[in-house]
Amino acid sequence: MNIAEIKCLLEKQKRITLGFFPTPFYKLERLSSQLGVNLYIKRDDFTGQNLFGGNKIRKLEYLLGQAVENGAEYVFTYGATQSNHAMQTVAACRKLGLKPVLYLLAFVETDENDLKGNLLLDKIFGAEVHIINTLPNESLFESTERYMVAAKKHMKQLEAGGHRCYSIPLGGSNSIGTIGFVSGYLEIQQQMNLLGIKADYIFHANGSGGTMTGLAVGRKLFGSSEKLIAVGAAKHDANFVTSMVELGNNVLVRLGSDKIMTKEDFEMDEEHFAPGYEMPSEQGSEAIKLLAREEGILLDPVYSGKAFACLLDYVHSGRVQQGSDVIFWHTGGATALFAEKEILGNLF
Ligand SMILES: Cc1ncc(COP(=O)(O)O)c(C=O)c1O
């Protein structure tokens, strides 16, 4: 399909304006000559709607478009206490006059008297915040189940009182939110056309999978062949790719396309998240310092720093050939630079 045909499919979807698109896309001249590749950056840290943008705004334009259409009063969402997704959801809700409710899992201990990073912003935005501490010997799945049970009960109570609620899943990665990155894919194709380039690789951070799946669906519709490398911020379980195939196919159905996603549409790197989610790595810290010191751009230690470390690793090891056209999709998250010091790592 061409750009106009894909645009036509996207225009049928309910969407509300929250961010500033297209986000900037340009070449990093200094790092390109140092690395021997043509390195471009897509600045989704500039999506808006305030200083602290990020990839979730693309998804929220579709998700909250539906929430408003459904007449929602409260919007529930979930994540870690330093969740970028939660913070962007809260900001977006405020713009639309919706009441945000967060159920957040504390991977690191929070101090009510000294709030940091996104949790501080959530409070400034006046979100209703429920923090769930992880219990000893409890798996991530079990703690997530526990807060989902609490959130569902809360929603039921509100609904019984006549208040309409809208629930956004972790990272906004359902078939509605993911459309935001199909649209993002179209956006970057148009920007590449303007610059007269054709990407060989696009690297980006991967969490709940909506970014990865939306881009892969966009590529499938467009019929292009660059490699999309989704760099995990955590270890995904064995069923993850299968569920992303299903998500991608649901997106295609929603868009009215008869194309089919398969496992081969996804390429994930799960070797750069160590030691774990919200745990800094030396490679990630070095990558953050490099981009900051060579180009004046800030990444974060949880997602984009590790994704950029992966890109550097692929270039240095020759997995990405010299002279390639490589895009780094900056998904935001630099508020983590002001989070608890356990998350931050060694940055100077
Ligand atoms: C800064 C940043 N980059 C990347 C991601 C991953 O996006 P997705 O959840 O769509 O995989 C997230 C998710 O929260 C994020 O906050």
Side-chain angles (χ1 to χ4, degrees):
M1 291 178 87
N2 62 32
I3 288 178
E5 288 166 335
I6 303 173
K7 249 192 186 160
C8 229
L9 295 186
L10 289 168
E11 274 162 9
K12 292 188 191 129
Q13 304 299 315
K14 186 82 203 153
R15 180 179 185 177
I16 216 156
T17 300
L18 294 170
F20 305 103
F21 299 108
T23 55
F25 175 64
Y26 58 95
K27 188 170 180 186
L28 298 174
E29 298 289 352
R30 287 168 54 75
L31 273 183
S32 291
S33 55
Q34 283 177 32
L35 296 171
V37 295
N38 300 307
L39 180 60
Y40 295 84
I41 192 160
K42 176 69 171 152
R43 298 294 302 270
D44 268 14
D45 50 332
F46 277 163
T47 53
Q49 61 196 49
N50 50 50
L51 192 55
F52 312 112
N55 64 338
K56 298 307 183 300
I57 297 296
R58 290 189 187 274
K59 301 179 184 180
L60 288 163
E61 290 205 338
Y62 290 91
L63 290 161
L64 293 181
Q66 202 199 42
V68 168
E69 190 171 60
N70 290 359
E73 180 184 350
Y74 288 87
V75 172
F76 280 63
T77 201
Y78 324 93
T81 44
Q82 286 300 343
S83 164
N84 298 306
H85 160 70
M87 183 278 289
Q88 288 166 76
T89 303
V90 167
C93 282
R94 287 314 188 196
K95 178 179 163 72
L96 300 173
L98 300 167
K99 296 173 186 156
V101 183
L102 303 178
Y103 275 78
L104 304 176
L105 195 59
F107 286 99
V108 295
E109 210 173 312
T110 55
D111 179 353
E112 266 293 316
N113 299 312
D114 186 19
L115 293 176
K116 306 276 192 193
N118 285 324
L119 191 54
L120 172 65
L121 298 176
D122 295 338
K123 292 281 189 173
I124 294 173
F125 287 126
E128 182 179 329
V129 179
H130 300 265
I131 294 178
I132 282 70
N133 290 312
T134 48
L135 300 175
N137 303 324
E138 188 181 50
S139 70
L140 179 59
F141 178 76
E142 286 163 344
S143 14
T144 306
E145 279 289 289
R146 201 155 48 82
Y147 75 62
M148 284 312 295
V149 168
K152 275 187 187 145
K153 193 170 157 207
H154 188 170
M155 264 187 279
K156 259 197 170 157
Q157 280 164 353
L158 284 168
E159 276 166 356
H163 305 280
R164 207 163 272 186
C165 299
Y166 187 82
S167 177
I168 297 180
L170 206 68
S173 290
N174 61 12
S175 64
I176 298 170
T178 297
I179 291 173
F181 268 91
V182 180
S183 165
Y185 186 84
L186 208 63
E187 185 179 301
I188 207 166
Q189 285 298 336
Q190 289 171 296
Q191 289 176 310
M192 282 197 276
N193 284 349
L194 283 176
L195 294 186
I197 62 160
K198 211 165 172 293
D200 298 306
Y201 294 89
I202 300 178
F203 285 79
H204 68 87
N206 183 27
S208 59
T211 303
M212 167 176 100
T213 304
L215 293 176
V217 169
R219 182 179 60 181
K220 171 95 20 173
L221 289 170
F222 200 68
S224 44
S225 60
E226 72 281 338
K227 275 181 175 284
L228 301 170
I229 317 279
V231 187
K235 177 99 195 127
H236 290 93
D237 68 31
N239 299 326
F240 183 72
V241 177
T242 310
S243 59
M244 292 302 113
V245 170
E246 196 182 317
L247 173 63
N249 283 325
N250 290 339
V251 171
L252 285 164
V253 168
R254 201 174 267 284
L255 290 174
S257 163
D258 56 7
K259 298 238 185 283
I260 302 281
M261 301 296 284
T262 67
K263 285 186 181 175
E264 285 64 48
D265 289 309
F266 298 103
E267 183 162 344
M268 290 172 34
D269 177 286
E270 300 264 276
E271 279 160 31
H272 290 83
F273 69 84
Y277 185 69
E278 288 195 343
M279 295 179 193
S281 71
E282 204 180 310
Q283 271 188 322
S285 299
E286 288 307 315
I288 293 172
K289 284 190 275 186
L290 183 72
L291 196 64
R293 292 174 189 186
E294 295 301 329
E295 298 282 354
I297 296 170
L298 296 170
L299 297 172
D300 79 280
V302 183
Y303 291 97
S304 55
K306 288 178 179 176
F308 194 59
C310 173
L311 182 156
L312 294 172
D313 196 11
Y314 279 37
V315 171
H316 291 314
S317 66
R319 282 176 81 172
V320 165
Q321 279 184 347
Q322 292 285 290
S324 300
D325 286 342
V326 183
I327 297 174
F328 180 67
W329 200 302
H330 189 332
T331 46
T335 42
L337 295 173
F338 306 99
E340 292 80 6
K341 65 177 184 318
E342 299 95 299
I343 292 177
L344 193 58
N346 184 9
L347 290 178
F348 49 86

